[in-house]
Amino acid sequence: MAGVTLKTVAKAVGVSPSTVSNAYNKPDQLSVALRERILDTARELGYSGPDASARALRSGKAGAVGVLFTDKLAYAFSDPYAVGFLAGLAEVAEEFSTSLLLMPLSSTDIAGGSNAVQQAAIDAAAIFCVPGTHPALDILANRGIPAVSTDRGDHPDLSWVAIDEVEAAAQLGEHLARLGHRDVVVLVDNAEAAGGNPVELSVDEVGYTDCELRIQGLQKAMPDARLRIVSGGHNAFSSGRTGAEWVLDSQDRPTAIVGLSDVQALGALEAMRVRGLVPGRDLTLAGFDDIPAAEAAGLTTVHQPIREKGRAVGRILLDPAVTERQLLMPTELIVRASSGPAPKA
């Protein structure tokens, strides 16, 4: 029936419009019998319920948190680190009856991603591994949308939940130095190699704050070592394998490979396996994050509380009782079988 509104249903039932609204939005305020009578009448009249967009306009709330990340949408469901973070964030969002809107920001279509953020109906934003120079972050600030980043920033007004990337990586660097490693390849996430052709980069070309800081930590702990930065593409098992294959098949093979994520390190582990190389004996391999698969693979890595980081971001964004706006999470070096003494020349 055309033109059926909440007031139409209220008149048909013989109640006030606010009572019909409560049947949908505050059912605990009505008896079961009255609510069922209202909903039955609404169905008979062809009324599907209050308009969500209109309700959002009246309340000034969209009921959603935007999650910004610089990768394809599938990354949020395939990368173990992203999955763990989103699981923790979702737990808190569910507690506050809030939805999550996943917003991938393409590294090639900057304008498109910025436009999506400009138009997004969100109350707050979780900034997940987005470069600090991305214009979408300025758009959030201009719109007055509260945001929490997973990167530690220097601005006193910036809200973040992060780890000390430099010190965490320095722990790993000290471990490698004690084992005698002086020639190390670092596998990083980089769009320049997304076509499948590995590239060697300088620190300035890496492009992601967390990766740059981790490299700084390795350099701090290993000032006498030669660190080469290599990328086989975006952060994925396949890019770690591709980058490691390129390194292992060269005549200038290092004594250790460090993946700045566990998924890249596990890709490198596959490249080693195919070549008959034993991690911890023929070449040391290490990662970062301590995803569940790292323990099964015997991978030396830096543990960070992934799911807890997601929960903490959610609390800062949604829980009015939380007043702390900057939270530094703990890390721990986990030594497993994949690391060992540097082979003698």
Side-chain angles (χ1 to χ4, degrees):
M1 183 183 298
V4 177
T5 67
L6 183 144
K7 290 182 178 179
T8 308
V9 176
K11 184 177 181 180
V13 179
V15 296
S16 68
S18 61
T19 300
V20 175
S21 177
N22 287 341
Y24 290 93
N25 302 315
K26 300 177 181 178
D28 57 306
Q29 295 191 9
L30 304 180
S31 68
V32 174
L34 177 56
R35 182 170 186 264
E36 289 181 352
R37 185 156 62 92
I38 291 172
L39 297 180
D40 288 343
T41 302
R43 280 191 291 268
E44 291 172 3
L45 294 174
Y47 179 69
S48 58
D51 182 79
S53 58
R55 185 168 61 245
L57 286 173
R58 287 193 300 271
S59 67
K61 295 292 184 180
V65 168
V67 184
L68 281 60
F69 57 99
T70 47
D71 215 310
K72 295 180 179 178
L73 186 59
Y75 177 79
F77 303 96
S78 60
D79 178 74
Y81 177 83
V83 169
F85 173 84
L86 287 172
L89 178 59
E91 286 180 19
V92 179
E94 184 176 20
E95 181 181 338
F96 288 88
S97 301
T98 299
S99 301
L100 298 182
L101 176 63
L102 302 183
M103 305 182 66
L105 303 176
S106 170
S107 58
T108 55
D109 184 12
I110 302 297
S114 299
N115 187 54
V117 173
Q118 180 67 57
Q119 299 182 15
I122 55 176
D123 302 317
I127 304 170
F128 180 70
C129 300
V130 176
T133 56
H134 199 290
L137 305 188
D138 291 330
I139 292 172
L140 288 175
N142 292 336
R143 290 185 60 190
I145 293 178
V148 177
S149 176
T150 56
D151 286 329
R152 185 181 180 185
D154 296 327
H155 196 284
D157 294 332
L158 179 67
S159 297
W160 48 261
V161 176
I163 61 173
D164 190 329
E165 306 278 6
V166 174
E167 289 306 313
Q171 294 178 52
L172 177 57
E174 291 167 359
H175 172 66
L176 297 176
R178 285 194 296 269
L179 293 172
H181 293 283
R182 299 292 181 271
D183 192 349
V184 180
V185 163
V186 182
L187 299 177
V188 301
D189 173 9
N190 187 267
E192 295 298 322
N197 297 315
V199 295
E200 189 162 345
L201 307 166
S202 67
V203 176
D204 295 336
E205 294 172 321
V206 171
Y208 290 97
T209 302
D210 56 348
C211 290
E212 292 173 356
L213 293 175
R214 290 173 192 180
I215 293 169
Q216 290 177 24
L218 292 171
Q219 292 172 328
K220 174 184 175 182
M222 310 178 73
D224 300 325
R226 179 175 71 144
L227 294 181
R228 287 177 286 160
I229 305 169
V230 172
S231 177
H234 288 299
N235 185 48
F237 179 93
S238 58
S239 64
R241 182 182 59 209
T242 299
E245 287 172 343
W246 189 59
V247 169
L248 296 174
D249 292 342
S250 70
Q251 294 182 344
D252 193 13
R253 180 183 291 177
T255 63
I257 293 178
V258 175
L260 291 191
S261 70
D262 284 345
V263 292
Q264 293 213 57
L266 293 172
L269 182 62
E270 174 63 13
M272 290 179 62
R273 186 192 66 77
V274 170
R275 288 157 179 76
L277 299 173
V278 178
R281 186 192 70 186
D282 302 316
L283 186 144
T284 279
L285 179 65
F288 205 104
D289 292 332
D290 198 25
I291 62 175
E295 182 177 7
L299 181 67
T300 291
T301 187
V302 175
H303 173 85
Q304 64 167 315
I306 302 170
R307 197 177 187 114
E308 290 78 4
K309 183 184 282 189
R311 292 194 192 101
V313 168
R315 288 286 173 198
I316 292 177
L317 288 173
L318 298 172
D319 191 342
V322 175
T323 57
E324 191 172 12
R325 315 311 297 176
Q326 298 177 341
L327 182 60
L328 196 63
M329 308 291 279
T331 61
E332 180 185 2
L333 175 66
I334 306 295
V335 177
R336 299 189 178 107
S338 71
S339 60
K344 295 182 179 180

